[in-house]
């Protein structure tokens, strides 16, 4: 089935290209912006530990499942679900999941683009901040000036959506492959440089301790303890781009001969490495300059400029840092829009380019709610013991990362490891039937769904 569909749809040129594109999708604002502030807010090492366990035991097997479904399905999300369901002899409304996954991408992109827009604003902001001489206070006021003015945020949100839509309209593989090939290694090099800088700060030890020495007493507080596990699994899904069809679509462009497990493992490891490095940069700065750990989404935008204001060549490093953050965000945002666009196009609703502009426009409109969440529409609420200040933005984030992604992930896992034939799964993973396959299959069949259900029940019902 996959073989018939593929020639018309094109393929990645090699396994490396797939790994780069999937890494480009996975490594993004989730690693550098979101992971540190979630870890700060959720109390540090315990969150990091649960996050790592979630990536390894739930994330990686389900990521394999998602790629496998994409490649075997070989179509857009809805048609793939239908074809796979038919092949497995399953009834059930599986194709509906194609629509809900594509919609989830649009919802995520609506707020992701606003943050992506801030990274563009910050590239320019670096020059201004630098000439003013920069301390923690002026970095904080620069941030509130940007986010407090709906007009400024809206402008940069618009620019970021244009960047994303233009690429998706022209087809992902033209240009994107090349950009990712150059920019991903550069991003890694810059992060390593920043870690070396952070290691020279007096707050480094405290930062490392915050990330790696777990305080198990946190679990004793039942309210906070529950929130941590859900936040960690949500973050694992978000960071791996898991559970909304982005990786499934990328998988549908994967040639039949490529081994899925090795490629997925590489993506998962790179993604985790970047998140940990980002934490190792940001926490020492936070401790050294007495910034607030639980400052939420503003963390990176305030703590990093403080460091750039002090270090030698800070302006240059600052501009590079935010440029690379932008690139990381860009290669991810494309994968958020792609499934919806591919669906509109292959369903013959609109042409490829009109599909991209229609989905881009819808996302842009939805994004206005996030722009306003930091000023006019800001309101606070409490979710599982953590207080949130940015109304609709926080709600969208929780709805997508902590609810839609884990639930989709659970369903994907159940589909591959329970509904699909074991022999088909074995054929796609191409590991033979030995211990490695047995382990992945066992983890995907029993441990992963059990853990997701447990975390969801524990969070909402217990
Ligand atoms: N993983 C990306 C990040 O960490 C964001 C992202 C891209 C994403 N595609 C996704 C998240 C699909 C969830 C689902 O920034």
């Amino acid at each position: 089935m996959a073989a018939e569909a593929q020639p018309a749809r094109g393929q990645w040129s090699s396994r490396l290209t797939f790994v780069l594109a999937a890494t480009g999708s996975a490594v993004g604002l989730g690693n550098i912006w979101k992971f540190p502030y979630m870890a700060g807010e959720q109390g540090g090492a315990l969150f990091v530990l649960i996050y790592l366990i979630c990536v390894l035991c739930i994330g990686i097997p389900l990521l394999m499942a998602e790629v496998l479904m994409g490649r075997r399905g070989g179509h857009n999300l809805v048609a793939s679900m239908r074809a796979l369901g038919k092949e497995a002899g399953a009834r059930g409304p599986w194709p509906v999941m194609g629509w809900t996954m594509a919609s989830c991408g649009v919802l995520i992109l609506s707020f992701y683009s606003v943050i992506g827009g801030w990274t563009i604003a910050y590239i320019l902001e670096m020059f201004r901040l630098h000439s003013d001489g920069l301390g923690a206070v002026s970095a904080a006021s620069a941030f509130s000036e940007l986010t407090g003015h709906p007009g400024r945020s809206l402008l940069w949100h618009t620019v970021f959506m244009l960047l994303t839509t233009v690429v998706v309209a022209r087809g992902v593989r033209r240009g994107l492959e090349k950009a990712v090939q150059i920019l991903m290694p550069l991003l890694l090099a810059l992060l390593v440089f920043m870690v070396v800088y952070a290691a020279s700060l007096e707050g480094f030890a405290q930062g490392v301790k915050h990330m790696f020495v777990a305080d198990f007493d946190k679990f004793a507080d039942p309210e906070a303890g529950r929130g941590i596990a859900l936040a960690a699994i949500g973050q694992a899904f978000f960071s791996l781009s898991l559970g909304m069809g982005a990786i499934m679509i990328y998988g549908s462009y994967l040639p039949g001969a490529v081994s899925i497990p090795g490629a997925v493992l590489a993506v998962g490891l790179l993604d985790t490495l970047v998140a940990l490095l980002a934490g190792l940069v940001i926490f020492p700065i936070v401790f050294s300059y007495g910034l607030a750990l639980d400052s939420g989404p503003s963390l990176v935008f305030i703590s990093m400029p403080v460091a750039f204001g002090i270090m030698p060549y800070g302006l240059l490093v600052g501009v590079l840092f935010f440029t690379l953050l932008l690139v990381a965000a860009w290669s991810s945002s494309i994968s958020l829009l792609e499934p919806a666009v591919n669906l509109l196009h292959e369903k013959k609703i609109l042409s490829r380019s009109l599909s991209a502009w229609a989905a881009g426009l819808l996302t842009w409109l939805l994004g206005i709610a996030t722009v306003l969440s930091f000023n006019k529409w800001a309101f606070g609420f409490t979710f599982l013991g953590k207080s949130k200040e940015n109304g609709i933005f926080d709600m969208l984030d929780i709805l997508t990362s902590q609810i839609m992604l884990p639930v989709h992930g659970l369903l994907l896992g159940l589909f591959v490891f329970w509904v699909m034939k074991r022999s088909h799964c074995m054929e796609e993973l191409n590991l033979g039937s030995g211990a490695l396959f047995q382990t992945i299959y066992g983890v995907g069949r029993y441990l992963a769904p059990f853990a997701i259900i447990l975390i969801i029940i524990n969070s909402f019902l217990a």
Side-chain angles (χ1 to χ4, degrees), residues 25-26 28-31 108 112 238-239 241-242 244 246 332 335-336 405:
S25 166
L29 296 172
N31 306 61
I108 294 178
Y112 201 84
F238 188 89
S239 192
S241 298
L242 180 60
M244 62 124 307
S332 300
S335 75
L336 285 163
L405 296 180

Side-chain angles (χ1 to χ4, degrees), residues 275-297:
L276 293 178
L277 286 179
L280 280 181
V281 170
I282 283 146
F283 289 119
I285 293 175
V286 167
F287 286 116
S288 300
Y289 297 106
L291 302 163
L293 260 183
D294 58 353
S295 53

Side-chain angles (χ1 to χ4, degrees), residues 1-31:
M1 149 180 63
E4 296 162 15
Q6 269 170 2
R9 308 179 73 240
Q11 294 183 340
W12 300 113
S13 42
S14 66
R15 170 184 152 124
L16 182 67
T17 327
F18 169 75
V19 170
L20 278 173
T23 307
S25 166
V27 173
L29 296 172
N31 306 61

